[in-house]
Coordinates of all heavy atoms in Angstrom, one line a residue:
P26 N 102.5 29.6 122.4 CA 103.8 29.0 122.2 C 103.8 27.5 122.6 O 103.3 27.3 123.6 CB 104.6 29.9 123.3 CG 103.9 31.1 123.2 CD 102.5 31.0 123.1
G27 N 104.3 26.7 121.9 CA 104.4 25.3 122.2 C 103.0 24.5 122.0 O 103.0 23.3 122.3
K28 N 102.1 25.2 121.6 CA 100.7 24.6 121.3 C 100.4 24.5 119.9 O 100.9 25.3 119.0 CB 99.8 25.3 122.1 CG 100.0 25.5 123.6 CD 99.8 24.2 124.3 CE 100.0 24.2 125.8 NZ 99.8 23.0 126.5
Q29 N 99.5 23.6 119.5 CA 99.0 23.5 118.3 C 97.9 24.5 118.0 O 97.1 25.0 118.7 CB 98.4 22.0 118.1 CG 97.9 21.8 116.7 CD 97.4 20.4 116.5 OE1 97.6 19.6 117.4 NE2 96.6 20.1 115.4
R30 N 97.8 25.1 116.7 CA 96.8 26.0 116.3 C 95.4 25.3 116.5 O 95.2 24.2 116.0 CB 97.1 26.5 114.9 CG 96.1 27.6 114.6 CD 96.5 28.1 113.2 NE 97.8 28.7 113.1 CZ 98.2 29.3 112.0 NH1 97.4 29.5 111.0 NH2 99.5 29.9 112.0
E31 N 94.5 26.1 117.1 CA 93.3 25.7 117.3 C 92.2 26.6 116.9 O 92.3 27.9 116.9 CB 93.0 25.3 118.9 CG 93.1 26.5 119.8 CD 92.8 26.3 121.2 OE1 92.3 25.2 121.5 OE2 93.1 27.2 122.0
L32 N 91.1 26.1 116.6 CA 89.9 26.9 116.2 C 89.2 27.5 117.4 O 89.1 26.8 118.4 CB 88.8 26.0 115.5 CG 87.4 26.7 115.3 CD1 87.6 27.8 114.2 CD2 86.5 25.7 114.8
V33 N 89.1 28.8 117.4 CA 88.4 29.5 118.5 C 86.9 29.6 118.1 O 86.0 29.4 119.0 CB 89.1 30.8 118.7 CG1 88.4 31.8 119.9 CG2 90.5 30.7 119.1
A34 N 86.6 30.1 117.0 CA 85.2 30.4 116.7 C 85.1 30.6 115.2 O 86.1 31.0 114.5 CB 84.7 31.7 117.4
A35 N 83.9 30.2 114.7 CA 83.7 30.2 113.3 C 82.3 30.6 113.0 O 81.5 30.4 113.8 CB 84.0 28.9 112.4
I36 N 82.1 31.3 111.9 CA 80.8 31.7 111.5 C 80.5 31.6 109.9 O 81.4 31.9 109.2 CB 80.5 33.2 112.0 CG1 79.0 33.6 111.8 CG2 81.6 34.2 111.4 CD1 78.7 34.9 112.4
T37 N 79.4 31.0 109.6 CA 79.0 30.8 108.2 C 78.4 32.1 107.7 O 78.1 33.0 108.4 CB 78.2 29.6 108.0 OG1 76.9 30.0 108.6 CG2 78.6 28.4 108.7
S38 N 78.3 32.2 106.3 CA 77.6 33.3 105.7 C 76.2 33.6 106.2 O 75.6 34.6 106.2 CB 77.8 33.2 104.2 OG 77.0 32.1 103.7
G39 N 75.6 32.4 106.7 CA 74.2 32.4 107.0 C 74.1 32.8 108.6 O 73.0 33.0 109.1
G40 N 75.3 32.9 109.2 CA 75.2 33.3 110.6 C 75.3 32.2 111.6 O 75.3 32.5 112.9
S41 N 75.5 31.0 111.2 CA 75.6 29.9 112.1 C 77.1 30.0 112.7 O 78.0 30.2 112.1 CB 75.4 28.6 111.4 OG 74.2 28.4 111.0
T42 N 77.1 29.6 114.0 CA 78.4 29.8 114.8 C 78.9 28.7 115.4 O 78.0 27.7 115.7 CB 78.4 30.9 115.9 OG1 77.4 30.6 116.7 CG2 78.0 32.3 115.2
N43 N 80.1 28.5 115.7 CA 80.7 27.4 116.3 C 81.8 27.9 117.3 O 82.7 28.8 116.8 CB 81.2 26.3 115.4 CG 81.8 25.1 116.0 OD1 81.2 24.6 117.1 ND2 82.6 24.3 115.5
Y44 N 82.0 27.4 118.5 CA 83.0 27.9 119.5 C 83.7 26.7 120.1 O 83.1 25.6 120.3 CB 82.2 28.6 120.5 CG 81.6 29.9 120.1 CD1 80.3 30.0 119.9 CD2 82.3 31.2 120.1 CE1 79.7 31.2 119.5 CE2 81.7 32.4 119.6 CZ 80.4 32.3 119.3 OH 79.9 33.5 119.0
A45 N 85.0 27.1 120.4 CA 85.6 26.0 121.2 C 85.1 26.0 122.6 O 84.7 27.1 123.1 CB 87.2 26.3 121.2
D46 N 85.1 24.9 123.3 CA 84.5 24.8 124.6 C 85.3 25.8 125.5 O 84.5 26.3 126.5 CB 84.7 23.4 125.1 CG 83.7 22.4 124.4 OD1 82.8 22.9 123.8 OD2 84.0 21.2 124.5
S47 N 86.5 26.1 125.4 CA 87.2 27.0 126.3 C 86.8 28.3 126.3 O 87.0 29.1 127.2 CB 88.7 26.7 126.0 OG 89.0 27.2 124.7
V48 N 86.1 28.8 125.2 CA 85.7 30.1 125.1 C 84.2 30.4 125.1 O 83.7 31.5 125.1 CB 86.4 30.8 123.8 CG1 87.8 30.5 123.8 CG2 85.6 30.2 122.6
K49 N 83.5 29.4 125.1 CA 82.0 29.5 125.1 C 81.5 30.3 126.4 O 82.0 30.0 127.4 CB 81.3 28.1 125.1 CG 81.4 27.2 123.9 CD 80.6 26.0 124.0 CE 80.7 25.3 122.7 NZ 80.0 24.0 122.7
G50 N 80.8 31.2 126.1 CA 80.1 32.2 127.1 C 81.0 33.3 127.3 O 80.6 34.2 128.0
R51 N 82.2 33.4 126.8 CA 83.1 34.6 126.9 C 83.4 35.3 125.7 O 83.5 36.5 125.6 CB 84.4 34.1 127.5 CG 84.3 33.5 128.9 CD 85.6 33.3 129.7 NE 86.5 32.3 128.8 CZ 87.6 32.6 128.3 NH1 88.0 33.9 128.4 NH2 88.3 31.6 127.7
F52 N 83.5 34.5 124.5 CA 83.7 35.1 123.2 C 82.5 35.0 122.4 O 81.7 34.1 122.4 CB 84.9 34.3 122.4 CG 86.2 34.3 123.1 CD1 86.4 34.9 124.4 CD2 87.3 33.9 122.4 CE1 87.7 35.1 124.9 CE2 88.6 33.9 123.0 CZ 88.8 34.6 124.3
T53 N 82.3 36.0 121.5 CA 81.3 36.1 120.5 C 81.9 36.5 119.2 O 82.4 37.5 119.0 CB 80.3 37.2 121.1 OG1 79.7 36.7 122.4 CG2 79.0 37.2 120.0
I54 N 81.5 35.6 118.2 CA 81.8 35.9 116.8 C 80.8 36.6 116.0 O 79.6 36.1 116.2 CB 82.4 34.7 116.1 CG1 83.1 35.0 114.8 CG2 81.5 33.6 116.0 CD1 83.9 33.9 114.2
S55 N 80.9 37.4 115.2 CA 80.0 38.1 114.4 C 80.5 38.5 113.1 O 81.7 38.5 113.0 CB 79.2 39.2 115.1 OG 80.2 40.4 115.4
R56 N 79.8 38.8 112.1 CA 80.3 39.2 110.8 C 79.4 40.3 110.2 O 78.2 40.2 110.4 CB 80.5 38.1 109.8 CG 79.2 37.4 109.4 CD 79.6 36.1 108.7 NE 80.2 36.3 107.3 CZ 80.7 35.4 106.5 NH1 80.8 34.1 107.0 NH2 81.2 35.8 105.3
D57 N 79.9 41.1 109.4 CA 79.2 42.1 108.5 C 79.6 41.7 107.2 O 80.6 42.1 106.6 CB 79.7 43.5 108.9 CG 78.8 44.6 108.3 OD1 78.3 44.3 107.2 OD2 78.7 45.7 108.7
N58 N 78.6 41.1 106.5 CA 78.8 40.6 105.1 C 78.9 41.7 104.2 O 79.8 41.7 103.2 CB 77.7 39.7 104.7 CG 77.7 38.3 105.3 OD1 78.7 37.9 105.8 ND2 76.4 37.8 105.5
A59 N 78.3 42.8 104.3 CA 78.4 44.0 103.5 C 79.8 44.6 103.5 O 80.3 45.2 102.5 CB 77.4 45.1 104.0
K60 N 80.6 44.5 104.7 CA 81.9 44.9 104.9 C 82.8 43.9 104.8 O 84.1 44.1 104.9 CB 82.0 45.7 106.2 CG 81.1 47.0 106.4 CD 81.3 47.5 107.7 CE 80.4 48.8 107.9 NZ 80.6 49.4 109.2
N61 N 82.4 42.7 104.6 CA 83.4 41.5 104.4 C 84.3 41.5 105.7 O 85.5 41.3 105.6 CB 84.3 41.6 103.2 CG 83.3 41.3 102.1 OD1 82.5 40.4 102.0 ND2 83.6 42.1 100.9
T62 N 83.8 41.7 107.0 CA 84.5 41.9 108.1 C 83.9 40.8 109.2 O 82.7 40.7 109.4 CB 84.5 43.2 108.6 OG1 85.0 44.2 107.7 CG2 85.2 43.4 109.9
V63 N 84.8 40.3 109.9 CA 84.4 39.3 111.0 C 85.0 40.0 112.3 O 86.1 40.5 112.3 CB 84.9 37.9 110.7 CG1 86.4 37.8 110.6 CG2 84.3 37.0 111.8
Y64 N 84.4 39.7 113.4 CA 84.7 40.4 114.7 C 84.7 39.1 115.8 O 84.0 38.1 115.6 CB 83.8 41.4 115.2 CG 83.5 42.4 114.2 CD1 82.4 42.3 113.2 CD2 84.2 43.5 114.1 CE1 82.2 43.4 112.3 CE2 84.1 44.7 113.2 CZ 83.1 44.5 112.3 OH 82.7 45.5 111.5
L65 N 85.5 39.3 116.7 CA 85.6 38.5 117.9 C 85.6 39.4 119.1 O 86.6 39.9 119.5 CB 86.8 37.6 117.7 CG 86.8 36.5 118.9 CD1 85.8 35.5 118.6 CD2 88.2 35.8 118.9
Q66 N 84.5 39.4 119.7 CA 84.4 40.1 121.1 C 84.7 39.2 122.1 O 84.1 38.2 122.3 CB 83.0 40.6 121.2 CG 82.7 41.3 122.6 CD 83.6 42.6 122.5 OE1 83.5 43.5 121.5 NE2 84.4 42.8 123.6
M67 N 85.9 39.5 122.8 CA 86.3 38.6 123.9 C 86.1 39.4 125.3 O 86.6 40.5 125.5 CB 87.9 38.3 123.7 CG 88.0 37.8 122.3 SD 89.8 37.3 122.0 CE 90.5 39.0 122.0

């Protein structure tokens, strides 16, 4: 609320990841290409 939408984490089809500094070390993004599903473990 009252904040701008921000990127938390992203992952490419090849598995490269990018995280916001505020969540590094705490959040993990992953994906299952066969299931077309992305996960965010927090």
Side-chain angles (χ1 to χ4, degrees):
K28 301 292 185 179
Q29 185 176 345
R30 185 176 298 186
E31 64 175 349
L32 173 68
V33 177
I36 184 168
T37 68
S38 60
S41 297
T42 59
N43 187 31
Y44 296 92
D46 289 339
S47 60
V48 306
K49 286 182 179 178
R51 300 188 299 117
F52 291 9
T53 302
I54 188 170
S55 61
R56 67 189 288 174
D57 186 333
N58 290 331
K60 296 181 179 180
N61 293 316
T62 300
V63 63
Y64 307 93
L65 186 67
Q66 180 67 53
M67 305 182 292

